[in-house]
Amino acid sequence: MTMHPEYIPGFLELLTVLPEEVYNYKIAARPERRRQFEKELTSQMEVALNILTACLNFNELKEQVLEAFASWLRLKHGIPGSVLASHPLVLTALSSLNSEILSEAAVNVISELIHYTVAGSSGGFSVQMPLIQVIVPQVMSLKAQLRDASKDEEDVKAIARLFADMGDSYVELIATGSDESMLIVHALLEVASHPEYDIASMTFNFWHSLQVNLTKRDSYISLGNESSIEAERNRRLQIFRPAYESLVSLVSFRVQYPQDFQDLSYEDLKEFKHTRYAVADVLIDAASVLGGDSTLKILYMKLFEAVGRYQNDGQNEWRLAEAALFCIRAISNYVSIVEAEVMPQVMTLLPKLTQHPQLLQTVCLTIGAYSKWLDSAPNGPSILPSVIEILMSGMGTSEDSAAAAALAFRHICDDCRKKLCGYVEGLFHIYRIAVNGEGGFKVSAEDSLHLVEALSMVITELPIDHAKRPLEELCLPVVSPLQEIVNQGPEVINKKTARELTVHIDRFAYIFRYVCHPEAVADAIQKLWPIFKAIFDLRAWDMRTMESLCRACKYAVRTSGRYMGITIGAMLEEIQGLYKQHHQPCFLYLSSEVIKIFGSDPSCANYLKSLIETLFMQTTHLLTNIQEFTARPDIADDCFLLASRCIRYCPHLFIPSAIFPSLVDCSMIGVTVQHREASNSILTFLSDIFDVANSSKGEQYLPIRNAVIIPRGLTITRILIASLTGALPSSRLEQVTYTLLALTRAYGAQAVEWANQSVSLIPSTAVTENERSRFLTALSDAASGVNINALTVPIEELSDVCRRNRTVQEIVQGALRPLELNITAPSVS
């Protein structure tokens, strides 16, 4: 090194890159080799650090030396804190924090050292305490630089990052509330107060972690008895109260709309919304520590001050009031429903804040957020009329405020439904105006569904004999336009766009879903059936309309259950006939709902058996190769969801039927379809078959299941292993693994032999004997009842090995050929 200093920069570059390669998964290394490489490097850690220390003698190379040191620290190898605390490399990094040239590299080293002290392999706080005691005072000495105006923003950001790293890593120590830890907390408050949001927000994760540590019982479990736990918890919460009170004031202003918000680009607006959500999360953390009522008092003072300014200058000062209200809304779930000091005053202020559209939108959302409080408040009934008046104003002002008002209206009707039963006529007046699009309301078709849901929940609260008439009134504005379209005849119906029909049908779905009076809903669907049937008959070709109609029928079936009477028979006959012609996937999911409700009902057995046999026969004739699965993934998804429902709710109709073996064959063809939901539904269907003995009466079906599965076992296993090793994306690994392990649990040694024959097809150039053996051992352990969670690593490793590069993946898939159902595997002794 002394004789050839020109080689040292290149050598240092190599020393920096080597440890980085451990975590570089672009390199197609086997997991075993990766572990070996990491072990080789960690065994040479001392040598590497000695070389780096020697290089410190070259001043011009110090930056590069520090970067290389940071790289080696990422290996998290267990060097004791006492050794590192006095190590020349650590001391150089600490002394370089104020250096103009070396500060960036020094910050990277200190950041890695902080992470190193809490790594799982580092031995814990007690072993690393000497190092922590060296790092913390040096970082704390940088606190003054956070406010230094002459400092470059990037330098301040780097210093803030060290404080944030320290807070995140030492949160358990900080949570004890010692004098030293409170110095770190005050420094983090300093970071949180920085005018730049990017810098302030670095601390947000810390405040959340600290809140969890202070409030969750697990943090105190070592104290033993309940009284000690409660005393210590209260002591800590008191210590941190002032910090969280300051935090509320420091972050709440950041949600304020910028003055030029109307000119913001789409990306800037998105970023602003993200900031508001992040601040809302911090306020929730504060409310968890301080209590919602105390946090509300702090925020109310800001609102009170902002309202005063707004009344003097509404044009410019609405943003302050909106920001304070946004914060009050954010903590609504933490404010007690019996809070009687601040919330009545908030509600008194709201009618004064309705002039500006953005402000009105937040007023409406705040009303919705405090609907539970409104229900519990002693003066709730006297407040409700003025609240509903504000919501009506919101519905008529702008599309955004109308959306907020409709949502709030739903919350109010949900939580205050008992109080609103006496106001049904007034609520219907609002509903009719909104749904008919009259009276200047700007409620969109989607948002009008909130109003449908709202009225449905109030009707649910009425006694059944008082509910039928309001239910008819609720249906009337929806049924009239549909009836009118149907009356105009087939030609007119067929010319309508799907939207012209679904806008009304979707409202029926909400009515049937949220009016929880089974008899009344059954009555309504019976009266509506002629209209529904006409749409089924004339628009069966139109997927969007059919999906909407099937969704409405699904909720009618779910709510009415056994009260559906003859309507259910007519409905099933309709979809059974139409599926043969139009193959709409939604007919399958509507059938799934029917199976769930009526599957175990003996009186329905005959027509349900006919239904599932017809639907499955049609589907298996459709899905005869992987190209068909790829072209019709929705049908595959809904077909196998229905099949899984049949296994759960009517195995007596499904498993003994002639269609069961055909559906298993169909599933084998489609397992490797790339569509996520379709593939998952098929894998779930297969695992449900393998797990059938786990259900209460499942054992009786084992002879039939075995007669179907055992002849196909080797092929199913081969296809599942192909899916595991590259035929399906790695994101599907968990589901494939579960299915393979379910097969292994069901068939024991026989399944392990199937797996052995399958993996033996893979050439040794792709998978070594050792990797094959570890995989088969995991399956053998599964067969003998070992916990599945312990077996996933060898299975994941086989998957990684076979996916390590495209060439290997092609070799493996070429050997396993998952799309071929009949290939001969060699016999393995």
Side-chain angles (χ1 to χ4, degrees), residues 265-287:
S265 68
Y266 173 78
E267 283 305 317
D268 288 343
L269 197 58
K270 197 169 152 186
E271 198 175 314
F272 172 61
K273 285 181 178 177
H274 177 76
T275 300
R276 281 168 63 107
Y277 294 142
V279 170
D281 287 341
V282 176
L283 292 170
I284 286 168
D285 289 325

Side-chain angles (χ1 to χ4, degrees), residues 63 152 174:
E63 184 176 8
D152 178 67
I174 293 169

Side-chain angles (χ1 to χ4, degrees), residues 342-358:
V342 176
M343 275 314 297
Q345 296 179 65
V346 172
M347 288 295 168
T348 307
L349 290 177
L350 294 184
K352 300 172 185 174
L353 304 173
T354 57
Q355 281 75 41
H356 193 280
Q358 263 71 31

Side-chain angles (χ1 to χ4, degrees), residues 25 37 60 80 83 91 107 158 186 233 243 246 248 258 270 360 443 465 514 559 601 628 649 699 727 767 802:
Y25 286 89
F37 178 64
E60 69 279 12
V83 174
L91 300 177
V107 164
H186 291 137
R233 187 170 177 273
S246 300
V248 171
K270 197 169 152 186
L360 178 56
V443 181
D465 48 331
Y514 294 106
T559 300
D601 187 338
E628 288 293 347
Y649 295 103
E699 292 212 357
V767 175
C802 294

Side-chain angles (χ1 to χ4, degrees), residues 14-200:
L14 190 62
L15 271 182
T16 307
V17 169
L18 270 175
E20 287 172 356
E21 294 306 286
V22 172
Y23 306 107
N24 181 359
Y25 286 89
K26 287 180 182 172
I27 297 171
R30 296 169 184 274
E32 195 179 343
R33 173 64 192 128
R34 191 176 292 281
R35 284 193 294 269
Q36 192 186 349
F37 178 64
E38 187 172 2
K39 205 177 280 183
E40 287 166 10
L41 287 184
T42 50
S43 69
Q44 298 299 313
M45 182 84 133
E46 205 176 320
V47 177
L49 298 194
N50 286 342
I51 294 170
L52 292 175
T53 304
C55 291
L56 287 173
N57 295 322
F58 302 92
N59 269 335
E60 69 279 12
L61 297 177
K62 273 187 180 175
E63 184 176 8
Q64 210 179 344
V65 169
L66 291 176
E67 290 295 0
F69 180 38
S71 185
W72 281 84
L73 285 171
R74 286 182 201 113
L75 291 175
K76 311 278 192 289
H77 179 62
I79 301 175
S82 54
V83 174
L84 283 173
S86 56
H87 199 287
L89 288 164
V90 173
L91 300 177
T92 302
L94 289 168
S95 63
S96 303
L97 282 171
N98 288 310
S99 156
E100 245 182 74
I101 299 167
L102 299 177
S103 62
E104 188 181 339
V107 164
N108 289 338
V109 170
I110 305 306
S111 178
E112 289 302 335
L113 282 169
I114 292 168
H115 295 151
Y116 178 88
T117 58
V118 290
S121 57
S122 69
F125 285 132
S126 55
V127 175
Q128 297 299 333
M129 195 49 78
L131 179 56
I132 294 171
Q133 286 169 338
V134 169
I135 293 171
V136 172
Q138 288 289 339
V139 176
M140 291 302 294
S141 69
L142 304 172
K143 182 182 167 187
Q145 295 184 29
L146 289 167
R147 286 186 173 274
D148 187 343
S150 65
K151 275 274 174 194
D152 178 67
E153 191 185 310
E154 288 305 311
D155 292 340
V156 176
K157 201 176 273 189
I159 294 164
R161 175 184 147 205
L162 286 183
F163 282 109
D165 280 346
M166 211 157 62
D168 290 339
S169 300
Y170 304 144
V171 69
E172 285 177 41
L173 293 174
I174 293 169
T176 59
S178 65
D179 292 346
E180 295 88 345
S181 70
M182 293 315 290
L183 293 173
I184 298 176
V185 170
H186 291 137
L188 286 160
L189 280 171
E190 189 88 32
V191 178
S193 70
H194 196 279
E196 280 297 323
Y197 173 76
D198 286 350
I199 292 172

Side-chain angles (χ1 to χ4, degrees), residues 331-370:
I331 61 160
S332 60
N333 288 342
Y334 297 81
V335 174
S336 159
I337 57 171
V338 293
E339 202 283 333
E341 190 183 337
V342 176
M343 275 314 297
Q345 296 179 65
V346 172
M347 288 295 168
T348 307
L349 290 177
L350 294 184
K352 300 172 185 174
L353 304 173
T354 57
Q355 281 75 41
H356 193 280
Q358 263 71 31
L359 182 52
L360 178 56
Q361 182 183 353
T362 304
V363 167
C364 292
L365 290 170
T366 306
I367 288 168
Y370 283 91

